[in-house]
């Protein structure tokens, strides 16, 4: 058998690497955990676009494993016969005989059996290169490309080019123009195909196959630059578990959302809040708090601190914009102190550094503070929805420092007096009053 070069990393090692990636480890840490160097892991992750190119499920046991091949090599060196090796491994003698004949090292015209060379040859012979569906079917490929990266058109069909953007092989640019495209998601494309071609079974593809064609180098017929047309605009696919493990100094395991009481998730008890900031221009912001059960909204005024705009910014100096850690803690403590103690149970916040003093906030208010996972806005869906409603009054790209406490209270009252479908068309104010009456009827004190 002609040598195709240096033996690659064994497939079981690569499989273990991608399993570690799925658990949330970085590429360097996953590589070291599997016994290879960090740069090798980084190269695997980069070349495959953040996606495994092999099956991650463990082998069925039908074929010889690397551990078994090591046993064969050891017993062969001890002059054990084929039947003795088969008996100790629990395999058929023909399996052992075939293994020694097919996968022995042939360099120097000597049939020496080495486990690493045998594993390499077995994996090489087991490859079954398969042409991807997008590469083989031009009509399907054109459909996917058109709905993923097609040109934007006016109602009369005239193409609208949008900004000229050069793809540089990296993630979408921050606060810069992005390429205009039809930008259907792979899931939308995959599920729309049966509707557009109900009688043509060849026009079917899974959304995962489209992602693989985009991210894995050489996998399909789609150009890598088409990842710029995805909503995320990521050049590499990032496993969700990996993004959740990104370190933040002020977020420790005991304050993660997974540790939050179950009653907060079920919305059966009032007093569990979600919070975040809505950001404006010139480093202005407004704090938003929403009670999960009643949808009652509280807006937190964050005035700029003395010296803002007059003193030059200093590295690691105080945040004069008004939403630094200390200013945020004081503002939240002041607002939450206006609520009864039984309505101050927990607060779930985004990962922002503005709540770095959460331990002191818990001591001041009695509210346990928890943080959502990175890039997981759905874990604070009530607050995210409310922030969207608030953008009617505080649009993006405007200076929010213009508004004082009086204006914020008026906007909060507007939201709290709107009937909500999820509350059976009651208003958040009415729902909160019902909760307070329920507390009083049960004999629970409602004083702060």
């Amino acid at each position: 058998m002609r040598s195709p070069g240096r033996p690659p990393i064994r497939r079981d090692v690569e499989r273990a690497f991608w399993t570690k990636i799925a658990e949330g480890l970085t590429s360097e840490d996953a590589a070291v955990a599997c016994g290879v160097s960090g740069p090798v892991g980084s190269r695997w992750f980069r070349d495959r676009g953040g996606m495994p190119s092999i099956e991650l499920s463990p082998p069925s046991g039908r074929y010889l494993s690397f551990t078994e091949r090591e046993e064969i090599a050891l017993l062969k060196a001890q002059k054990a016969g084929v039947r003795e090796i088969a008996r100790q491994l629990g395999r058929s003698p023909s399996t052992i005989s075939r293994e020694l004949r097919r996968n022995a090292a042939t360099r120097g015209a000597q049939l020496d059996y080495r486990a690493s060379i045998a594993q390499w040859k077995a994996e090489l012979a087991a490859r079954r290169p398969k042409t991807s569906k997008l590469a083989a079917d031009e009509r399907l490929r054109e459909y996917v490309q058109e709905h993923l990266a097609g040109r934007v058109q006016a109602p009369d069909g005239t193409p609208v080019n949008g900004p000229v953007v050069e793809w540089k092989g990296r993630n979408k640019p921050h606060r810069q123009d992005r390429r205009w495209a039809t930008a259907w998601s792979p899931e939308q494309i995959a599920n729309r195909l049966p509707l557009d071609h109900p009688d043509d079974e060849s026009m079917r593809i899974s959304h995962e196959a489209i992602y693989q064609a985009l991210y894995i180098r050489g996998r399909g017929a789609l150009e890598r630059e088409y990842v710029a047309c995805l909503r995320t605009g990521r050049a590499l696919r990032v496993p969700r578990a990996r993004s959740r493990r990104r370190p933040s100094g002020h977020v420790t395991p005991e304050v993660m959302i997974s540790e939050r009481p179950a009653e907060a998730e079920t919305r059966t008890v009032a007093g569990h809040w979600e919070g975040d900031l809505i950001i404006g221009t010139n480093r202005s912001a407004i704090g938003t708090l929403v009670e999960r059960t009643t949808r009652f909204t509280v807006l937190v005024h964050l005035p700029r601190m003395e010296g803002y705009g007059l003193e030059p910014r200093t590295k690691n100096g105080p945040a004069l914009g008004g939403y630094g850690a200390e200013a945020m803690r004081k503002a939240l403590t002041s607002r939450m102190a206006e609520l009864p103690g039984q309505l101050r149970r927990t607060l779930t916040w985004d990962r922002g550094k503005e709540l770095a003093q959460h331990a002191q906030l818990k001591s001041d208010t009695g509210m346990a503070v928890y943080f959502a996972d990175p890039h997981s806005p759905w874990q604070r869906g009530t607050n995210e929805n409310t922030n969207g409603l608030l953008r009617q009054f505080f649009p993006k790209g405007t200076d929010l420092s213009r508004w004082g406490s009086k204006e914020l209270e008026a906007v909060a009252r507007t939201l709290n007096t709107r009937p909500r479908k999820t509350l059976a068309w009651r208003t958040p104010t009415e729902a909160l009053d019902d909760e307070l009456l329920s507390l009083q009827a049960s004999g629970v004190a409602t004083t702060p």
Side-chain angles (χ1 to χ4, degrees):
M1 179 178 179
R2 182 182 177 183
S3 173
R6 180 185 178 186
I9 301 297
R10 298 195 316 272
R11 181 162 294 191
D12 57 335
V13 176
E14 189 174 355
R15 184 181 294 111
F17 168 79
W18 287 108
T19 302
K20 293 293 183 183
I21 290 292
E23 293 174 0
L25 271 66
T26 64
S27 53
E28 293 83 358
D29 292 341
V32 172
C34 298
V36 298
S37 66
V40 170
S42 298
R43 185 171 69 248
W44 283 349
F45 193 86
R46 182 176 62 252
D47 290 348
R48 291 156 180 78
M51 298 180 65
S53 57
I54 61 175
E55 180 63 41
L56 297 186
S57 58
S60 63
R62 176 183 177 186
Y63 303 102
L64 291 172
S65 66
F66 179 69
T67 302
E68 289 177 310
R69 289 189 168 97
E70 286 183 319
E71 290 290 332
I72 293 174
L74 181 61
L75 293 171
K76 184 77 165 53
Q78 296 173 356
K79 308 299 182 180
V82 170
R83 292 188 178 277
E84 175 62 19
I85 296 174
R87 185 184 63 80
Q88 293 199 31
L89 266 64
R91 293 282 187 173
S92 168
S94 61
T95 299
I96 304 303
S97 176
R98 188 165 49 246
E99 171 68 16
L100 292 173
R101 184 177 65 255
R102 287 179 176 177
N103 296 329
T106 58
R107 178 169 294 183
Q110 298 294 324
L111 293 178
D112 295 330
Y113 186 86
R114 302 190 186 101
S116 58
I117 301 300
Q119 184 71 21
W120 170 38
K121 286 189 173 184
E123 291 179 358
L124 204 60
R127 290 179 180 176
R128 298 292 184 271
K130 183 180 179 181
T131 304
S132 69
K133 194 170 185 178
L134 286 177
D137 193 329
E138 182 178 358
R139 183 159 156 259
L140 178 61
R141 181 173 67 253
E142 289 178 353
Y143 182 96
V144 172
Q145 290 182 173
E146 174 61 28
H147 291 83
L148 178 68
R151 300 179 68 178
V152 175
Q153 297 181 351
D156 60 359
T158 305
V160 179
N161 294 324
V164 178
V165 180
E166 179 183 358
W167 188 69
K168 300 180 180 179
R170 295 190 291 270
N171 286 354
K172 65 180 179 183
H174 181 62
R175 296 186 181 275
Q176 296 181 27
D177 290 332
R178 291 187 62 185
R179 173 180 174 177
W180 284 21
T182 45
W184 285 29
S185 71
E187 186 176 13
Q188 289 172 327
I189 296 172
N191 287 279
R192 183 68 187 187
L193 274 167
L195 299 181
D196 290 345
H197 303 277
D199 301 324
D200 189 351
E201 290 297 326
S202 67
M203 295 294 286
R204 303 287 187 271
I205 192 170
S206 68
H207 66 276
E208 191 65 23
I210 299 175
Y211 278 119
Q212 290 183 1
L214 288 171
Y215 282 115
I216 300 178
R217 182 180 300 178
R219 169 56 64 91
L222 298 180
E223 298 292 337
R224 284 276 288 126
E225 65 183 39
Y226 287 163
V227 299
C229 301
L230 296 174
R231 312 284 168 77
T232 61
R234 295 193 189 104
L236 298 175
R237 199 178 192 187
V238 181
R240 181 173 295 173
R242 183 180 182 183
S243 66
R244 287 177 178 174
R245 288 176 178 257
R246 291 179 181 172
S248 296
H250 65 290
V251 180
T252 53
E254 60 269 16
V255 295
M256 292 298 298
I257 192 171
S258 57
E259 302 298 320
R260 189 176 66 175
E263 65 179 24
E265 181 68 26
T266 59
R267 303 179 191 264
T268 55
V269 178
H272 299 282
W273 297 77
E274 295 177 3
D276 196 9
L277 296 177
I278 54 175
I279 306 295
T281 58
N282 301 324
R283 300 186 63 81
S284 58
I286 297 174
T288 65
L289 296 168
V290 188
E291 204 283 313
R292 284 178 53 82
T293 301
T294 64
R295 275 66 170 183
F296 189 83
T297 302
V298 174
L299 299 183
V300 182
H301 181 45
L302 300 171
R304 287 169 175 156
M305 299 178 67
E306 184 179 353
Y308 178 83
L310 301 177
E311 302 176 3
R313 293 183 60 188
T314 58
K315 185 176 181 180
N316 298 326
L320 302 181
Y323 54 97
E326 184 174 359
M328 196 73 212
R329 176 183 60 80
K330 292 180 178 179
L332 287 176
T333 299
S334 176
R335 290 294 282 147
M336 300 310 291
E338 301 172 5
L339 297 171
Q342 291 299 318
L343 291 182
R344 300 198 304 262
R345 299 178 186 273
T346 68
L347 171 63
T348 304
W349 201 265
D350 198 12
R351 305 278 291 196
K353 294 291 184 67
E354 66 273 3
L355 220 64
Q357 297 187 8
H358 59 87
Q360 184 62 41
L361 176 65
K362 178 180 179 181
S363 176
D364 295 341
T365 63
M367 298 179 66
V369 180
Y370 300 95
F371 292 91
D373 293 318
H375 312 295
S376 304
W378 60 86
Q379 294 177 343
R380 302 170 17 266
T382 303
N383 182 246
E384 289 291 324
N385 177 66
T386 302
N387 289 347
L389 299 176
L390 288 169
R391 284 300 186 183
Q392 177 184 357
F393 305 94
F394 311 114
K396 292 183 178 180
T398 61
D399 189 352
L400 304 183
S401 64
R402 296 175 293 166
W403 314 116
S405 299
K406 182 178 180 181
E407 290 84 2
L408 297 188
E409 290 179 1
V411 172
R413 182 182 182 278
T414 301
L415 263 62
N416 291 330
T417 55
R418 285 181 183 174
R420 302 290 294 273
K421 180 178 180 179
T422 190
L423 300 175
W425 304 113
R426 294 182 300 160
T427 67
T429 298
E430 292 170 342
L432 186 67
D433 289 341
D434 291 344
E435 291 292 336
L436 292 174
L437 290 174
S438 177
L439 290 174
Q440 292 177 352
S442 61
V444 178
T446 59
T447 56

